[in-house]
Amino acid sequence: MIEFGDFYQLIAKSPLSHWLDTLPAQLSSWQRESLHGKFKQWFNAVEYLPTIMPTQLDLKHSVSADVEQGAITDRQRDAINKMLRELMPWRKGPFQLYGTDINTEWRSDWKWDRVLPHISPLAGRTILDVGCGSGYHMWRMVGEGANLVVGIDPMQLFLCQFEAVRKLLGGDLRAHLLPLGIEQLPELKAFDTVFSMGVLYHRRSPLDHLWQLKNQLVNEGELVLETLVIEGDQNQVLVPGDRYAQMRNVYFIPSTQALIAWLEKCGFVDVKLADLNVTSVEEQRSTDWMTSESLPQFLDPTDISKTIEGYPAPLRAVLVARKP
Ligand SMILES: C[S@@+](CC[C@H](N)C(=O)[O-])C[C@H]1O[C@@H](n2cnc3c(N)ncnc32)[C@H](O)[C@@H]1O
């Protein structure tokens, strides 16, 4: 059983306390009814990992932890590597943990480098990361001095990857991942910054998603939105057919101008386009830790400006906006 008691205690005397009206019941029914067939195997790998207090820890420029040579044995280092491999595929990272370099499908650190210069300083803030994956960016938020980082993601493998990394980072309690979708959250109105990165195009109702994000923010809070966009004017939105870059669950890919209009329609102000970037095959690719096909196979081999379905290749925008 994954224990969420530490989190409940942490929020009991905070502006998030009213979440306790619904959250414990939601998470205990999740543990009773919705566990993935492989959850036990993943959870055992997490349980088997030691909680280590790193003497070398970097969350500011990477997510890496180690101890001096000789402080743990080579056998212990091999066991850590083996348990982390039990949690494959690793999509978001990379992580450097006690001699194991988890070379993930995505260079999530490159996305962070594009986002960080454009957002309000995170020091002291209470943060929600919607669709946080393995939690890579959550640790980088902790590295920027966040007070508390809450990530939500319904994928149970990612929860186990997050808990594995947490143990190897010394059991740090400034970050918590809850196995929930955004639609399961009440209107908390309690986060200083809300991140939604790589989620909007997976939502069937993108304006509802923007409203849900706004409802998590305090007044004057900041939204950091990263999503796929297309070139075009305010009236252009791509609704792909069966698949986009081989993904089945892609619904709306707006132009940047349309996205700005959506944000303003939902009541956000000071909407700024911070970054626009064509995803490269160096940023998303198969690795030793994610061996399935990846972006190089999802692009047209004769014209990499298109996906294999003939749509514009992935172009990603970062927008920053304020809730008044
Ligand atoms: C493309 S990944 C992005 C991960 C990370 N935020 C990043 O930018 O690298 C999208 C993530 O959103 C999660 N997701 C999908 N539907 C969601 C929902 N309804 N609520 C929250 N997260 C969701 C997926 O499980 C997946 O981990």
Side-chain angles (χ1 to χ4, degrees):
M1 291 279 273
I2 298 248
E3 283 297 330
F4 299 100
D6 284 337
F7 181 67
Y8 301 153
Q9 253 182 13
L10 196 69
I11 64 170
K13 291 199 178 80
S14 82
L16 287 169
S17 61
H18 57 292
W19 204 355
L20 293 173
D21 297 343
T22 52
L23 188 61
Q26 236 169 0
L27 291 179
S28 39
S29 83
W30 169 81
Q31 303 240 29
R32 274 196 316 273
E33 294 154 20
S34 318
L35 290 186
H36 189 283
K38 282 183 145 181
F39 187 82
K40 201 163 183 317
Q41 177 193 325
W42 298 330
F43 186 68
N44 285 344
V46 178
E47 288 276 89
Y48 192 78
L49 281 169
T51 301
I52 311 186
M53 200 49 75
T55 48
Q56 297 149 27
L57 175 68
D58 178 30
L59 300 177
K60 177 102 180 150
H61 307 99
S62 65
V63 180
S64 55
D66 211 337
V67 287
E68 276 86 42
Q69 201 63 34
I72 55 172
T73 63
D74 288 349
R75 245 179 105 178
Q76 285 170 311
R77 288 184 189 270
D78 289 348
I80 289 172
N81 182 291
K82 187 162 176 275
M83 288 307 113
L84 292 172
R85 285 200 173 273
E86 290 282 312
L87 298 173
M88 280 174 65
W90 284 81
R91 293 189 182 277
K92 311 293 174 177
F95 300 93
Q96 288 86 36
L97 300 165
Y98 307 93
T100 292
D101 287 343
I102 305 182
N103 184 13
T104 46
E105 179 190 16
W106 282 85
R107 291 297 306 257
S108 308
D109 49 338
W110 295 2
K111 184 185 286 192
W112 190 241
D113 289 345
R114 290 194 294 270
V115 167
L116 189 63
H118 304 286
I119 63 178
S120 301
L122 298 179
R125 287 172 94 100
T126 298
I127 298 173
L128 177 67
D129 186 5
V130 175
C132 58
S134 64
Y136 177 83
H137 293 126
M138 295 168 64
W139 295 117
R140 298 298 301 270
M141 293 168 200
V142 170
E144 290 300 312
N147 172 48
L148 172 67
V149 182
V150 182
I152 56 167
D153 200 299
M155 295 287 287
Q156 297 173 20
L157 174 61
F158 300 156
L159 171 65
C160 294
Q161 292 176 340
F162 173 83
E163 291 299 339
V165 172
R166 185 221 290 285
K167 277 185 105 172
L168 297 174
L169 297 182
D172 196 317
L173 289 180
R174 287 169 294 176
H176 294 263
L177 196 159
L178 306 173
L180 299 172
I182 176 74
E183 60 285 357
Q184 293 175 277
L185 263 56
E187 297 181 5
L188 292 165
K189 298 191 171 90
F191 293 97
D192 303 308
T193 304
V194 169
F195 288 83
S196 166
M197 302 197 287
V199 180
L200 185 84
Y201 51 87
H202 290 315
R203 302 302 295 148
R204 281 184 291 193
S205 179
L207 268 77
D208 283 340
H209 181 63
L210 298 178
W211 273 105
Q212 284 159 347
L213 297 172
K214 190 167 152 227
N215 286 336
Q216 306 310 327
L217 281 166
V218 294
N219 291 345
E220 302 300 322
E222 187 167 85
L223 171 69
V224 182
L225 181 69
E226 193 262 3
T227 192
L228 290 171
V229 292
I230 52 167
E231 305 277 0
D233 66 26
Q234 186 173 347
N235 300 312
Q236 300 207 25
V237 179
L238 172 67
V239 181
D242 188 33
R243 289 177 184 241
Y244 172 86
Q246 285 300 285
M247 291 182 284
R248 279 198 192 282
N249 54 351
V250 175
Y251 297 98
F252 290 87
I253 308 183
S255 70
T256 311
Q257 288 311 311
L259 186 54
I260 292 171
W262 290 359
L263 283 160
E264 288 173 348
K265 197 170 177 74
C266 294
F268 286 99
V269 296
D270 297 340
V271 181
K272 291 186 196 80
L273 172 65
D275 188 74
L276 206 52
N277 180 267
V278 176
T279 307
S280 71
V281 293
E282 288 78 36
E283 183 165 351
Q284 185 192 4
R285 74 281 185 252
S286 316
T287 69
D288 198 23
W289 291 80
M290 200 302 292
T291 54
S292 311
E293 292 189 335
S294 186
L295 186 62
Q297 291 76 44
F298 304 155
L299 297 178
D300 180 341
T302 62
D303 177 3
I304 60 157
S305 71
K306 293 198 172 71
T307 68
I308 54 171
E309 300 87 6
Y311 296 119
L315 169 68
R316 309 183 80 95
V318 177
L319 291 99
V320 181
R322 184 168 59 84
K323 175 180 174 177

